Amino acid sequence: MNKPLILFVEDDNAVGNLIATTLETQNYQFHRAKNGSQAVMDALSCRPDVMLLDLGLPDIDGIDIIKKIRSWSNMPIIVVSARSDDRDKVAALDAGADDYLTKPFSVDELLARLRVALRRVRYDSQRTGEEAAIYKNGGLLINYAAGCAYLDGQELHLTPMEYKLLCLLAKHTGKVLTHNYIIGEVWGTHSENFSSELPSLRVFMATLRKKLEPDPGHPRYIQTHIGVGYRMLQNRQEDELPPQA
Ligand code: CA
């Protein structure tokens, strides 16, 4: 990928200028939209690699924009919002956003989220059909056909529930999955009574991480988003060569 193109949607001038300056100094190409209808049109015409989306826009609610874009595009959407309430983050993620930033955010935070999103774009574009049967992420390998997972060449002894959770997180690498979504997928429970399954989800995630993370205090694979959910992080492949000098 050459210079990635970022579409950012922000009606606030001060925040918009900060984002523009940051992207400019980091050598990203970008396009700015100031309202929701412009954002949807630009997403169609510019074909950006990543979208940064403010949830509070003058015309269309950010959640509706995510739903519209998700009907035809899989590009990473990072929500930028002044709403610090977890319910808003969860609603945006459940509508199809990949990640969120809460205002005020630092430039470093913004750039870190963009790197995660772009890694996902690269990973998706490099994956071939054959590789789709085998999942590789750093030292983690999942052989879907055999139903086995390995860490650094050693087979992981997972319970069926741990394996199911691992596969679900792997399938959505780079994206924050909400508790609600995970429980719906793994237990098939409807969202109204998902809170009754939340304690068991926490237990299964804890046992999975104990087996998966070399250092559970500094997770390399599964990131916790308190009050929101979990995310599988994309790690550099063990067999990936460093760029040549
Ligand atoms: Ca706004």
Side-chain angles (χ1 to χ4, degrees), residues 89-126:
K89 293 176 194 161
V90 168
L93 293 167
D94 280 338
D98 292 73
D99 201 352
Y100 56 85
L101 268 171
T102 306
K103 289 180 192 170
F105 52 84
S106 70
V107 163
D108 288 344
E109 229 179 323
L110 167 66
L111 293 173
R113 303 303 173 97
L114 277 177
R115 281 195 296 271
V116 169
L118 288 165
R119 219 174 291 152
R120 206 258 283 164
V121 175
R122 274 189 210 110
Y123 174 77
D124 283 356
S125 66
Q126 283 166 2

Side-chain angles (χ1 to χ4, degrees), residues 10-12 54-58 103:
E10 178 59 71
D11 59 320
D12 182 283
D54 178 28
L55 280 187
L57 292 168
K103 289 180 192 170

Side-chain angles (χ1 to χ4, degrees), residues 3-245:
K3 268 190 174 184
L5 176 63
I6 319 288
L7 170 61
F8 79 91
V9 192
E10 178 59 71
D11 59 320
D12 182 283
N13 269 328
V15 181
N17 292 342
L18 170 75
I19 296 177
T21 309
T22 305
L23 296 178
E24 214 160 10
T25 51
Q26 296 295 318
N27 219 16
Y28 285 116
Q29 292 187 80
F30 62 91
H31 187 88
R32 179 178 179 182
K34 292 191 176 182
N35 59 55
S37 42
Q38 185 69 47
V40 174
M41 279 191 338
D42 291 349
L44 269 168
S45 57
C46 309
R47 305 184 60 85
D49 295 297
V50 174
M51 185 177 198
L52 270 177
L53 174 68
D54 178 28
L55 280 187
L57 292 168
D59 54 347
I60 313 177
D61 187 82
I63 304 281
D64 293 325
I65 298 175
I66 299 169
K67 287 180 187 159
K68 267 193 211 289
I69 288 174
R70 275 292 170 261
S71 64
W72 49 266
S73 168
N74 190 35
M75 76 169 146
I77 301 176
I78 304 170
V79 163
V80 182
S81 166
R83 310 173 191 181
S84 56
D85 193 316
D86 286 341
R87 274 172 304 185
D88 291 316
K89 293 176 194 161
V90 168
L93 293 167
D94 280 338
D98 292 73
D99 201 352
Y100 56 85
L101 268 171
T102 306
K103 289 180 192 170
F105 52 84
S106 70
V107 163
D108 288 344
E109 229 179 323
L110 167 66
L111 293 173
R113 303 303 173 97
L114 277 177
R115 281 195 296 271
V116 169
L118 288 165
R119 219 174 291 152
R120 206 258 283 164
V121 175
R122 274 189 210 110
Y123 174 77
D124 283 356
S125 66
Q126 283 166 2
R127 203 162 40 162
T128 64
E130 192 186 327
E131 282 171 339
I134 301 272
Y135 172 83
K136 274 202 225 167
N137 179 356
L140 171 66
L141 188 147
I142 306 172
N143 183 332
Y144 291 116
C148 301
Y150 302 83
L151 184 67
D152 301 325
Q154 299 287 314
E155 186 172 356
L156 290 168
H157 298 286
L158 303 177
T159 65
M161 191 58 93
E162 289 162 0
Y163 180 73
K164 235 173 149 176
L165 282 169
L166 179 66
C167 291
L168 182 67
L169 287 162
K171 192 177 149 198
H172 300 280
T173 297
K175 180 176 176 353
V176 179
L177 300 182
T178 65
H179 296 136
N180 203 350
Y181 177 81
I182 298 173
I183 288 167
E185 290 292 304
V186 174
W187 278 270
T189 307
H190 292 298
S191 55
E192 310 87 67
N193 46 18
F194 93 101
S195 54
S196 60
E197 303 290 0
L198 196 51
S200 8
L201 172 61
R202 293 218 167 95
V203 171
F204 284 118
M205 288 301 296
T207 58
L208 171 60
R209 294 174 108 162
K210 222 177 254 172
K211 296 175 185 180
L212 181 65
E213 298 289 357
D215 176 6
H218 299 89
R220 204 181 141 186
Y221 296 100
I222 302 174
Q223 194 181 52
T224 299
H225 290 249
I226 294 163
V228 177
Y230 301 93
R231 154 160 59 194
M232 175 70 80
L233 296 168
Q234 178 71 52
N235 286 263
R236 179 190 276 273
Q237 293 309 136
E238 304 285 278
D239 51 10
E240 215 172 61
L241 292 170
Q244 298 211 321

